[in-house]
Amino acid sequence: MELFYAYQVEGSMCRLDAEESTHCVKVLRHRAGDTVDIIDGLGTLYHCRLTLDSPKGAEAQILETTANWGSHPYHLTIGCCPTKNNDRFEWFVEKATEIGVDRIVPLIGDHSERKIYKTERALRIALSATKQSLKARIPVIDEPVSVKDFINEPHNQAEGEVLKLIAYCFEDETHPRQSIMDVLREFKGRDVTVLIGPEGDFSKEEAHNAMTTGYIPVHLGPSRLRTETAAVTAAEAVYLNFI
Amino acid sequence: MELFYAYQVEGSMCRLDAEESTHCVKVLRHRAGDTVDIIDGLGTLYHCRLTLDSPKGAEAQILETTANWGSHPYHLTIGCCPTKNNDRFEWFVEKATEIGVDRIVPLIGDHSERKIYKTERALRIALSATKQSLKARIPVIDEPVSVKDFINEPHNQAEGEVLKLIAYCFEDETHPRQSIMDVLREFKGRDVTVLIGPEGDFSKEEAHNAMTTGYIPVHLGPSRLRTETAAVTAAEAVYLNFI
């Protein structure tokens, strides 16, 4: 099953941008009259008939609509400090999208070696992984924000209870870390946020600030995981908790 | 913490091969008298004093021995069909090693597009990931074997109960698949084997054969995962089940 992404859905029409149109018309040689499957990136799948087979801007008429297609039963935000090596962070974006994540926030921490992160490539990877894994919702990728600002963000608390977790590696005797699985098992809601620090871990101040705003300190088990593996492990923990 | 791998441990001496010796002596400039940390790849960490700083073959005397260093509380075998793209399978080897796996078996299935797999690069990746993630035991990587032969292997059953799982994607009404997490939660042993099929999935005959030899059919949740992501998800499921 091949999916295309519509940048615009208006009335009963889906419109593809030049890149998607080229792929649809030039590479896969679809012609007007063919049926094609199109996602809006917001969770809906449209089964369509191609009406305009232009490689610059194809259009298709909606025949059938499926909401929440390829969705998962939770809402997961992962805030993660980008790795020194960009490929590793982008690998996390790809895998987390495949597994199921809703929002990725590149965080800049006190110990981050990478202080600047451009989201352009990650957005393309997220789109590609969404289509490849047959989902209709592309995760939102925020512009980078400092750990401090993210922690103090009002969040989407209004929508209901959010389980807020911070995974750090150092021992803190006043705040012993729980296993992420134990915390998830006891949670009855569906909205989870997990923070993953940089190679040099969160600073004690960041961890402390997070706890004062309601973050629960967790560990991801005994293995020493790289930043991007920790972020994928957090995504897997939430995903597997719901299956 | 930097680890070196000893190809030979004899009495109180550890010997490094040329590659490890070069890294120790030329790159990190260790000299006779320095203390170094060496693993035997079988689970033991040796804190040592370097006695011979030759880049062709360094030697070190054992000062302190730690058994089961960086170990995990389960024994996991993953049989996985190598992907068309080698990088993706090797990525699985790296990540599974980091998370915690004991044995990786490249499987050749009825629907495998890749019928030949050379283990040389995977062995190097497993060694590197073992050192990087501070473990002393390098996962064993078997030579490739057909799904049929692996299923009929007598296994290490003698050591106790093995939970044998096969993850496939097709629906089989006579053998409904259980969630891998549900099966793991109920298992009281520690020895788990999981089979992951190729891009084209296991054949129905392979799945049927596996079930007749005691494999339990499982699913890895609603997301459509690539082969290597499925294999990492299986490793994560076992790892997270024990934390």
Side-chain angles (χ1 to χ4, degrees):
Chain A
M1 183 179 195
E2 185 82 28
L3 294 178
F4 303 98
Y5 164 65
Y7 75 95
Q8 193 184 57
V9 180
E10 204 176 32
S12 67
M13 294 302 289
C14 292
R15 291 190 182 87
L16 310 187
D17 67 10
E19 193 175 333
E20 291 288 303
S21 298
T22 298
H23 188 63
C24 178
V25 174
K26 282 213 168 164
V27 180
L28 296 170
R29 297 168 181 274
H30 280 299
R31 290 292 167 263
D34 288 1
T35 55
V36 288
D37 291 298
I38 298 178
I39 59 170
D40 65 357
L42 301 169
T44 302
L45 170 74
Y46 299 101
H47 187 60
C48 298
R49 188 171 305 285
L50 201 62
T51 50
L52 179 63
D53 54 14
S54 159
K56 289 184 182 165
E59 292 184 6
Q61 179 152 26
I62 297 167
L63 304 175
E64 203 182 322
T65 299
T66 311
N68 298 316
W69 187 73
S71 65
H72 43 257
Y74 54 84
H75 186 280
L76 173 60
T77 299
I78 297 188
C80 179
C81 296
T83 50
K84 274 181 286 182
N85 174 332
N86 254 339
D87 288 351
R88 292 189 171 271
F89 189 78
E90 288 166 0
W91 166 81
F92 148 65
V93 171
E94 179 185 307
K95 291 307 166 194
T97 302
E98 221 178 297
I99 294 158
V101 68
D102 299 277
R103 181 181 168 207
I104 292 172
V105 186
L107 296 178
I108 310 300
D110 290 342
H111 299 167
S112 281
E113 290 193 49
R114 177 178 294 281
K115 300 281 187 194
I116 293 169
Y117 182 75
K118 294 195 194 306
T119 55
E120 200 182 316
R121 272 175 56 97
L123 289 165
R124 293 168 64 90
I125 287 167
L127 168 59
S128 164
T130 299
K131 293 196 293 179
Q132 195 277 330
S133 62
L134 303 188
K135 298 178 194 302
R137 192 171 185 286
I138 306 168
V140 172
I141 299 181
D142 286 23
E143 286 302 311
V145 60
S146 73
V147 171
K148 193 177 173 186
D149 287 349
F150 183 78
I151 285 169
N152 292 313
E153 188 185 277
H155 258 310
N156 37 8
Q157 296 263 13
E159 293 175 25
E161 197 194 351
V162 182
L163 180 68
K164 300 193 294 182
L165 308 176
I166 180 167
Y168 54 80
C169 302
F170 59 82
E171 287 297 334
D172 177 353
E173 283 160 18
T174 54
H175 297 95
R177 296 169 300 157
Q178 299 176 64
S179 152
I180 189 169
M181 294 308 279
D182 287 346
V183 177
L184 286 169
R185 264 182 224 116
E186 298 211 347
F187 180 58
K188 301 298 169 217
R190 57 182 287 280
D191 209 336
V192 183
T193 294
V194 189
L195 306 189
I196 304 290
E199 278 92 339
D201 209 350
F202 288 113
S203 69
K204 294 207 169 177
E205 193 187 338
E206 285 168 336
H208 184 260
N209 284 346
M211 283 180 257
T212 60
T213 60
Y215 280 84
I216 300 169
V218 294
H219 67 76
L220 303 173
S223 287
R224 180 179 118 152
L225 305 173
R226 286 173 180 270
T227 292
E228 76 279 6
T229 317
V232 166
T233 299
E236 295 270 21
V238 174
Y239 173 74
L240 292 167
N241 183 61
F242 282 88
I243 77 167
Chain B
M1 183 180 196
E2 184 81 27
L3 295 177
F4 303 98
Y5 164 65
Y7 74 97
Q8 192 182 57
V9 181
E10 203 175 32
S12 68
M13 295 300 289
C14 292
R15 291 189 182 88
L16 310 187
D17 67 10
E19 192 175 334
E20 291 288 303
S21 299
T22 299
H23 188 63
C24 178
V25 175
K26 283 214 167 163
V27 181
L28 297 169
R29 297 168 180 274
H30 280 300
R31 290 291 167 262
D34 288 1
T35 57
V36 288
D37 291 297
I38 298 178
I39 59 169
D40 65 357
L42 301 169
T44 302
L45 171 74
Y46 298 101
H47 188 59
C48 298
R49 189 170 305 285
L50 201 63
T51 50
L52 179 62
D53 55 12
S54 160
K56 289 184 181 165
E59 293 185 4
Q61 178 151 29
I62 297 167
L63 303 175
E64 203 182 322
T65 299
T66 311
N68 298 317
W69 187 73
S71 64
H72 44 256
Y74 54 83
H75 186 280
L76 173 61
T77 299
I78 297 188
C80 180
C81 296
T83 49
K84 274 181 287 182
N85 174 331
N86 254 340
D87 287 351
R88 292 190 170 270
F89 189 78
E90 288 166 0
W91 166 80
F92 148 66
V93 171
E94 179 186 307
K95 291 306 164 194
T97 302
E98 221 179 296
I99 295 158
V101 68
D102 300 277
R103 181 181 168 208
I104 291 173
V105 186
L107 297 178
I108 310 300
D110 290 342
H111 298 166
S112 281
E113 289 192 48
R114 177 177 295 281
K115 301 281 187 193
I116 293 168
Y117 182 74
K118 294 193 194 309
T119 55
E120 200 182 316
R121 273 174 56 97
L123 289 164
R124 293 170 64 91
I125 287 166
L127 168 59
S128 163
T130 299
K131 293 197 293 180
Q132 195 276 331
S133 62
L134 302 188
K135 298 179 195 297
R137 191 170 186 285
I138 306 167
V140 172
I141 300 182
D142 286 23
E143 287 301 312
V145 59
S146 72
V147 171
K148 192 177 174 185
D149 286 350
F150 183 78
I151 285 169
N152 292 314
E153 190 184 275
H155 260 309
N156 38 8
Q157 296 264 13
E159 292 174 26
E161 197 193 350
V162 183
L163 180 68
K164 300 193 294 182
L165 308 176
I166 180 166
Y168 55 80
C169 302
F170 59 83
E171 287 297 335
D172 176 354
E173 283 160 18
T174 54
H175 297 94
R177 296 169 300 157
Q178 297 177 66
S179 151
I180 190 169
M181 294 309 279
D182 288 346
V183 177
L184 287 168
R185 265 182 224 115
E186 298 210 348
F187 181 58
K188 301 298 171 219
R190 57 182 288 278
D191 209 336
V192 183
T193 294
V194 189
L195 306 189
I196 304 289
E199 278 92 339
D201 209 349
F202 288 114
S203 68
K204 295 209 167 175
E205 193 187 338
E206 286 168 336
H208 184 260
N209 284 347
M211 283 181 257
T212 60
T213 60
Y215 280 85
I216 299 169
V218 293
H219 67 76
L220 303 173
S223 287
R224 180 179 118 152
L225 305 172
R226 284 173 182 271
T227 292
E228 74 281 5
T229 317
V232 166
T233 300
E236 296 269 22
V238 174
Y239 173 74
L240 292 168
N241 184 60
F242 282 88
I243 75 167

